[in-house]
Amino acid sequence: MTVSKRLLLVVGVAAVALAGCGGGGKGGMTMVMQPPMAPPRLEDQFGAGFGAAFRQDRNGEPGEPAAGAIEPLSVTNDPREIS
């Protein structure tokens, strides 16, 4: 092999190697870091619907209570003496 053929072979191999790895620069795979998930709000940890009710407008329309959410009060059962 002559010197020019060797030089041409080396340049060709280098070009293929650099093209295969994206030119050694910014090409290729990039890793994207996802931001960490924010923890749930404190009011969302108190049960179903509490967080949404807590964040409602103070002067907004009141919501209807769910069935069974309010226990009936009977003033005639087991009267107790007040001292």
Side-chain angles (χ1 to χ4, degrees):
M1 256 193 200
T2 63
V3 176
S4 63
K5 286 185 179 181
R6 284 186 186 171
L7 182 61
L8 184 61
L9 181 66
V10 170
V11 170
V13 169
V16 169
L18 287 177
C21 66
K26 297 180 181 177
M29 290 181 24
T30 57
M31 297 293 290
V32 177
M33 297 296 294
Q34 296 291 334
M37 282 183 49
R41 294 180 174 184
L42 180 65
E43 63 266 16
D44 289 337
Q45 298 176 7
F46 290 114
F50 181 82
F54 184 80
R55 288 187 295 272
Q56 275 189 342
D57 184 27
R58 182 183 311 182
N59 297 322
E61 289 291 320
E64 289 293 322
I70 301 174
E71 295 183 21
L73 177 64
S74 174
V75 293
T76 61
N77 291 350
D78 299 329
R80 296 180 188 234
E81 189 174 309
I82 299 175
S83 55

